[in-house]
Amino acid sequence: MKKTWKKCCSLIVAAGMVFALAACSSGTAAPSADTEKETEAPADVSAVDSVEDSDDASAGLSAAASEEASAALSADAAAFSTAAAAEFSTAEAAAFSTEVAPETASTAATDGAQTAAEGINYLVLVNKIHPLPEGWEDALETVHTTNSLGDDVEVEKKTYDAYLLLKEDLEKEGVYVDLDSGRRSVADQQRIMDDFTKKYGADYAAKTVATPGFSEHHTGLALDLYLIIDGVDVVENEDMIQYPEIWEKIHAKIADYGFVLRFLEGKEHLTGYGYEPWHIRYVDSVDIAKEIMSTGVTLESYLGDVNETDVDIDYGTSELYSQEDLEEAAIQIKCSFASWKGCELHSLRYAGDECCTEENIAWLNSHEGVTEKYTQVAEFLGSFHSPVESGLSAWEPDYEYTDYQWWLGRTENGGWEIVDSGY
């Protein structure tokens, strides 16, 4: 595939198909700052190990994979009318995330009035396209606790009471946990965004910091656990992921106390996050929690926000990349796709090593906003179905798109990032 052909992707983008550049974290990608431990500035911006939640996980650890924000429109798109440019923004999936946010936020504002008057809804959905309802923080009743690390953790009151019962039960089985992260206010998240923007620039912050208002941690109902093994705190994601048998014991009990596992392996295209065994969510109903956990569905699917679908992935054969390398790239695409509201991802396949040329690497590095030079490139082709009623000119309604291209780049010591997509 020639570079001159691929450059026409930018013209297509300018015509109204501006797509996601932001990547959810992978095992070697830049750190997402949705969680407390991700607020620290990395020593090497281009080569830091990531943690997803960011809402948090380390997707590149193969068992695990944050959030998005706006990036500048391409020069070609800028040539279009102000109205057209305003319609399409390059955040995760501009055609869906940035444009649906105001509408969703408006709905949330209505719900928020009820929230303030009636208390909180324990089945609230907050993710990349659904913001925290207005009035939530005013209605929330929280408690503070100090974990074994000496850190203050804030949690919604009923959630904390349920956690204490879960913790007590786990200790009877010889499993010891503590709270790494609980509630984070919208204001705190905004400070993180501002700090990263000041230190590393708006583009880097947009790709690595959760958009304020769109993190489940704002609710106070989401908990990130860490393990205590033989009296030693095991806090880092890359270390915790090494104990699948312990997490299995934890997951077997959480529904008994009204919790669900929030970010499931293989469901990144629905939740927007890679697998996080430590991230649990309180739903205030043992029956609902048991139904969700026993069927293995996402909260999005249970609430009817998405259809529970699986993605057929063909990694083919490669002499350049390992299976793990390609899995990390696919997770990046799936996490990004979660912001394409109403779309259903059906398949992904690696296009083959023939795309990995110096010409294509140079083409990726020529994109606006690239700060660290990519040294590797990968192309995936996918199929997805658009919403029956799109509401946006980016997609034909109720249409099956095939051989849609995602181009990813990777720096010498970094993780995969989506650089371009389209036809």
Side-chain angles (χ1 to χ4, degrees):
M1 199 163 297
K2 295 182 180 179
K3 179 179 68 174
T4 53
W5 180 90
K6 286 193 232 69
K7 282 186 176 179
C8 75
C9 289
S10 295
L11 297 178
I12 296 174
V13 166
M17 301 187 74
V18 183
F19 305 99
L21 296 179
C24 70
S25 25
S26 69
T28 53
S32 292
D34 192 309
T35 54
E36 294 293 343
K37 58 190 170 189
E38 286 136 30
T39 62
E40 296 181 1
D44 181 352
V45 173
S46 67
V48 245
D49 285 338
S50 123
V51 271
E52 186 282 314
D53 184 26
S54 294
D55 272 303
D56 332 297
S58 184
L61 295 165
S62 287
S66 195
E67 272 106 323
E68 50 290 272
S70 299
L73 289 172
S74 68
D76 292 316
F80 278 73
S81 70
T82 302
E87 183 180 359
F88 300 99
S89 157
T90 54
E92 265 294 313
F96 297 95
S97 81
T98 308
E99 282 304 304
V100 300
E103 178 182 353
T104 310
S106 175
T107 303
T110 303
D111 294 341
Q114 298 174 348
T115 296
E118 302 170 9
I120 64 172
N121 172 17
Y122 285 90
L123 288 177
V124 67
L125 180 62
V126 177
N127 58 18
K128 291 184 174 183
I129 57 178
H130 293 290
L132 187 73
E134 250 182 63
W136 182 277
E137 293 184 313
D138 293 333
L140 196 63
E141 182 180 0
T142 65
V143 297
H144 289 260
T145 183
T146 303
N147 64 18
S148 65
L149 301 170
D151 298 330
D152 177 76
V153 181
E154 183 182 9
V155 184
E156 190 274 331
K157 187 179 185 305
K158 289 184 69 175
T159 303
Y160 183 66
D161 291 341
Y163 160 73
L164 290 179
L165 295 175
L166 170 64
K167 178 181 173 70
E168 181 181 3
D169 194 2
L170 288 171
E171 290 179 354
K172 294 176 183 177
E173 302 287 333
V175 175
Y176 296 89
V177 298
D178 210 336
L179 294 178
D180 178 42
S181 182
R183 176 181 178 264
R184 190 174 314 110
S185 71
V186 176
D188 286 341
Q189 192 68 23
Q190 185 63 59
R191 281 191 288 271
I192 296 171
M193 173 68 80
D194 294 343
D195 183 56
F196 268 60
T197 300
K198 182 178 179 180
K199 290 181 179 178
Y200 309 116
D203 183 66
Y204 178 79
K207 292 180 180 180
T208 57
V209 179
T211 303
F214 290 81
S215 168
E216 188 174 57
H217 276 288
H218 295 328
T219 66
L221 309 178
L223 305 179
D224 288 337
L225 308 177
Y226 65 87
L227 305 176
I228 302 175
I229 300 176
D230 296 329
V232 177
D233 297 321
V234 181
V235 182
E236 299 301 325
N237 293 354
E238 59 267 29
D239 296 328
M240 290 195 292
I241 207 69
Q242 305 302 319
Y243 297 93
E245 70 286 351
I246 297 181
W247 291 114
E248 185 177 352
K249 292 180 180 179
I250 295 171
H251 298 161
K253 288 185 175 294
I254 60 176
D256 293 337
Y257 301 93
F259 290 96
V260 298
L261 182 62
R262 189 64 180 87
F263 302 130
L264 305 174
E265 190 170 9
K267 305 293 186 179
E268 300 89 354
H269 59 297
L270 304 177
T271 66
Y273 300 102
Y275 174 56
E276 293 186 13
W278 44 80
H279 185 112
I280 62 176
R281 160 66 191 275
Y282 187 60
V283 296
D284 193 34
S285 169
V286 172
D287 290 340
I288 292 176
K290 286 185 174 181
E291 182 179 354
I292 292 174
M293 290 297 291
S294 64
T295 55
V297 299
T298 62
L299 183 60
E300 282 82 359
S301 176
Y302 179 81
L303 296 176
D305 192 63
V306 301
N307 292 326
E308 190 79 13
T309 58
D310 293 322
V311 181
D312 181 25
I313 304 180
D314 180 6
Y315 295 108
T317 58
S318 174
E319 295 182 0
L320 297 177
Y321 304 125
S322 67
Q323 177 82 9
E324 184 179 1
D325 288 333
L326 296 177
E327 287 174 352
E328 291 172 4
I331 286 175
Q332 293 287 338
I333 296 171
K334 292 172 70 179
C335 286
S336 173
F337 189 88
S339 292
W340 296 23
K341 185 172 177 60
C343 288
E344 292 184 5
L345 183 62
H346 294 155
S347 68
L348 288 172
R349 64 182 173 88
Y350 176 55
D353 289 349
E354 57 269 22
C355 70
C356 307
T357 65
E358 291 298 324
E359 182 183 26
N360 284 337
I361 291 175
W363 171 65
L364 291 188
N365 285 324
S366 70
H367 280 65
E368 185 177 355
V370 174
T371 55
E372 297 293 328
K373 294 299 183 182
Y374 299 113
T375 58
Q376 294 177 314
V377 59
E379 179 193 12
F380 276 76
L381 301 174
S383 65
F384 66 92
H385 203 88
S386 62
V388 174
E389 296 181 0
S390 170
L392 295 170
S393 58
W395 310 120
E396 290 291 333
D398 196 20
Y399 184 80
E400 184 73 15
Y401 286 83
T402 59
D403 290 335
Y404 186 86
Q405 298 176 325
W406 279 274
W407 289 87
L408 301 96
R410 187 164 69 172
T411 60
E412 187 67 32
N413 297 308
W416 291 110
E417 294 183 348
I418 299 173
V419 185
D420 207 328
S421 59
Y423 281 112

